[in-house]
Amino acid sequence: MAHVKVVRRSMGKEEWILLRTSWINKRIIKKSVKLNGWSIREARQVDEMKYEFYDKDFRPINDGEIYFTPDGTCFLKIEVKIPEELLKEKVYLQFKTAAEMIVKINGKWADGIDPNRDRVLLGENFRSGDMLLIEIEGYNRSKPDDERNPKSSALKGCRQVFDSGSLITINEEVENISYDLNILTETMESEYVKEEIREFIKNELDKALNIIDYEESDEKVYLENIRKARNYVDEKIFNNNTFGKIGNVALVAHSHLDIAYYWRRIHSVQKNARTCLIQLRLMDKYSDFKYSHSQAFTYEMLEKYYPELFEEVKKRVAEERFEPVGAMYVEPDCNIPSAESLIRQCLFGQQFFRTRFNKTIDNCWLPDVFGNSWIMPQILKKSGIKYFISNKMSTWNDTNKFPHNHFKWKGIDGTEIYACVPPTHFISWNSPEQIIENWESFQDKDSCNETLSMFGYGDGGSGATAEMIEYMHRIEKIPGLPNVRHISAKQFLDENLDNNESLETWDGELYLEMHRGTFTTKSKIKKWNRKLEILICDAEMLSSIASIYGFEYPRDLINECWKKLLINQFHDILPGTHIQPVTRDTMKDYEFIYNNLNNLINNALSYLKIQASDNKSKFINLVNTLSWNRKGMIFIEGEFEANVGIKNFQSQLGERKFKKGIWLNVDSIPAVGVKSIELENNYISTKQDKWFTFENNILRTDLYEVTLSEDGSITSFVDKAEGREIVSRNSAINEIKIYHDYPGMYDAWDILDNYKDKEENYRVIKKLAIKEAGSLFIVFEVEFAINQSLWKQNIRFYRHDIRVDFEHYVDWKETNRIAKAEFDFNILTRYAKCDIGAGAIIRETHKNTSWQKSRFEVCHHKWTDLSENGYGVSIINDCKYGISFEGSKAGLSLLRSPIRPDVDSDKETHIFSYALIPHKKSPEDAGIIQKAYEFNYDVYAMKASEKKENSFILSENDNIFIQTIKIAEDKNEDNLYIVRLIELKGERGKGTIRLPKDIKNVWEVNLIEDEIEDHSFTFEGNSLSFNYNPFEILTFKLKF
Amino acid sequence: MRLDSVNLKEFIDNYIKVRIQADGGEIKFLSFQNNILTIQAQGECSKCNLTETCLKEWIVEEINKEFNKMISINIVRKKPYFWDK
């Protein structure tokens, strides 16, 4: 006989409690008058506060009609006469919508409506005949994959059915008991709550609900019973001391706002305004309510487009109820941006908060960021920040539980800051279950007595609701739940982390065991970000040098470029986890930045007489912006006649990254300086000089002997000077592999560790053959086809350098594939050293424990090295951030093609390059860091009217990189400049830099340019000498 | 503008599609024959309840505004692999 599960068919006590609670909830609305007479004007937003209207004017819209169009905005308005039956009461507009709306009443910002809120207070004590003009701006962009709130998930869609709403009055006593009952029934149902407490609440709730007659039609009698029931709940449940409390949870209200994600940046202007407006109105209603809001950019938008709201925010900030958090300009990705970008996030952020609110924000608020670089503690601390907050590691890690919630985070240079990784999600709504889970998951109870729970809806903004605040007021009174207090983020951090010596220390990067695909997805954005990070520092440096000699420094335009670059480093833009229109906006911004920076560089170089307008001149000035003398192979892009060469230098016409130009082998271009060269029309190349042989796919030179395969992979590479084979036996390096890449719904974010299970075959359509050969280098080309995609590769071997360049052009049309360049080295090592922008991190390459296994894809910057004692191989790249290791194998991630959120992500042409450098000694002592910079920094080639050879700025130490020279933010005095230096090799010592002019005064400053006294330094003439520590970032303010 | 396959594809790609993408959806032009436009609904559109009704109606209206002709639309849903159960 089959087993039949017996299901109770009659109602149990719990169900009976829930049913009666729902009957009470239905009687919250006292009176309701349906609204009719709305007008609508539909539009599409095309820029910040700019619209393309579909309707010439407002037109009527009625209940049941469809409104909103894809990517639509709509403006609604109605004139309302307050009905007689609602006079002398608080009157609300009730308007149900899946869209996000901001509401104006009689010209003043009233409140926000969205799937989580449907009620706006219109006023009270109206007089007969009072009229109201209600104006609404609506955006139909609720996040489509937000399943967290079941009420809102049912309402998705780019078109909506119009519900004209009602004017309502509320029975506040019923609403109050409704909040009591709702939170208590949630407690009763939660498995996180002890059985005995649940049983107690169930029995007492049942008794309280027995007091009410649900069929009572006399409102007065009904309300009297409601009061009695509420008193019963108060006395028996809320004042019960039998069960005690467990733990302490601080409740901080916030709203996570993605600047761009499933919406464009232009829409975040309204999303932010709606969020701020809602929170301001909650402050009006609840005198104890405080709210924390991050990202200076969002405040800037509010100030620009909603000045009245910004003034309200300012007032609440002064009262310490609206709390700016986060210190940064936006919440950026914290893996890929350069050190200077992260510094500018802090600089622009702090500058805004200081000038508008007279506050320096001492916390870095990054709840949703996909892992955090080891360079951050130093950058944050030197930007006036004491605390780091991010929820990701505690709730997203797919393999290992991050062992701390409160700890000290030690950075690459040894700097320590306090860190808080709250135990639960940053989007929560103060449900009893969430509060208990938060305390129970808290791992640092020995060192801290209180944990942090952030509450408020987020991603698309929104924040706290009245319900969350009502719940917050009741949690404290519920038996068995933790003690709670509603405080600011600053108060929580100051009271729990500051000077807490019992906190443990985490020394290393904060690697997120999830979202590993974000190092590679939308690779074109990453390529441009790298390129522009370099270009903007060059523009600042060259403008500064010109300015020292009298040029007007283009401060505003450079700042505008910086801000656009920083916005696009937001953690759903740079990682590539967004819809296609966001990519289009980003590329438009990049074009703006690129064009303007190029103009600025040209202007500065013209002022310095390095660039001439004389196009007929044979002289070319080569400009090096790196802080060391640059030598070796450099490339000048352009069209040159076939017989053109460079006088007194070896040169060879050819391509770089599929663009034509000329290569030359230079002896030295001075550090941050210029050197003139002269074009020669009848250049005699030394082409006949046979410096290589290529037979049977083996390339032989004095430096190396390389065996190439027809697909461009290398099966043998012998470094002749050292007599070493660098390719593992029966294996290869530079093998292009295409794998199936199906990580699931978070397609753009993730790579799974099983991606190598299924490999895609490809056809070699042009076997390896010599493409270019001359006196300086030889280039091989190879082509292959993968389904519909075309892949071309040029491999360049140099005569005087053991470096090999691999340049790729890919017309990428694949779906759910990942492309890797794999290297299997004949190197015995268990470690890889990876550049992280301001130093290098050592990562284990074995898979001994789950911690190493989970790091199957990591982020690096310009170089990675695998070495054994005294010898190793480095891979340097111009735009690739994802890399995998296994023993002595490395796999550089080249391209992905996820389908969500963007169905066509990455399906376009890509050009990228990387290089291989076998070397003696350590990578630092082999000059790999400098070579990686040189691989990324172009030499500017300018037509010259006069010959020059001079250095403007020089670092005398090869480990001290001059990262930035800019005009100081301090505008009180002229001729103040900022010089920022990074120690790259992990060494301690005394350094010297030389500057363009004699220095009149020097101050050491932090990254937000406040004067500090951390180092001893001296200056004389144009030299500045200072002590430095490993991986340190030093900043000086100089007066010339 | 003449209503033919080329012009209609261009209109879908440059007008309809960019708007739908902004809401996380995606459509692809497949064919236009016998006054029937066949499009593929991808992304969020592939699982949305409104695709067959409201979205289709809007596309028909927009095409009519542009080409002054009413057409029929056949929508083929292509769910992403992770929703295609």
Side-chain angles (χ1 to χ4, degrees), chain A residues 695-710:
Chain A
E695 288 168 355
N696 301 322
N697 276 5
I698 300 174
L699 176 67
R700 291 186 177 89
T701 76
D702 290 344
L703 298 178
Y704 44 82
E705 185 172 307
V706 178
T707 307
L708 291 132
S709 299
E710 64 176 28

Side-chain angles (χ1 to χ4, degrees), chain A residues 150-191:
Chain A
K151 285 180 205 162
S152 62
S153 64
L155 299 167
K156 293 173 203 169
C158 59
R159 309 208 70 196
Q160 296 289 316
V161 178
F162 185 70
D163 177 341
S164 62
S166 305
L167 296 182
I168 59 168
T169 61
I170 295 295
N171 208 324
E172 287 180 4
E173 286 179 298
V174 179
E175 188 166 57
N176 282 333
I177 196 170
S178 169
Y179 286 128
D180 293 343
L181 297 172
N182 289 338
I183 193 168
L184 287 169
T185 51
E186 282 182 39
T187 311
M188 175 187 80
E189 290 186 295
S190 172
E191 290 177 4

Side-chain angles (χ1 to χ4, degrees), chain A residues 591-621:
Chain A
E591 194 181 336
F592 172 92
I593 300 168
Y594 180 75
N595 290 338
N596 278 295
L597 292 179
N598 271 324
N599 287 339
L600 292 181
I601 288 169
N602 287 335
N603 293 345
L605 292 176
S606 297
Y607 188 86
L608 292 166
K609 295 191 168 51
I610 290 170
Q611 176 173 235
S613 51
D614 177 12
N615 279 330
K616 289 175 189 166
S617 171
K618 281 187 175 180
F619 294 113
I620 292 176
N621 281 332

Side-chain angles (χ1 to χ4, degrees), chain A residues 231-248:
Chain A
N231 287 339
Y232 186 88
V233 168
D234 238 14
E235 186 187 331
K236 298 290 183 185
I237 304 179
F238 288 151
N239 282 308
N240 180 286
N241 294 319
T242 314
F243 299 99
K245 307 288 284 179
I246 43 147
N248 301 293

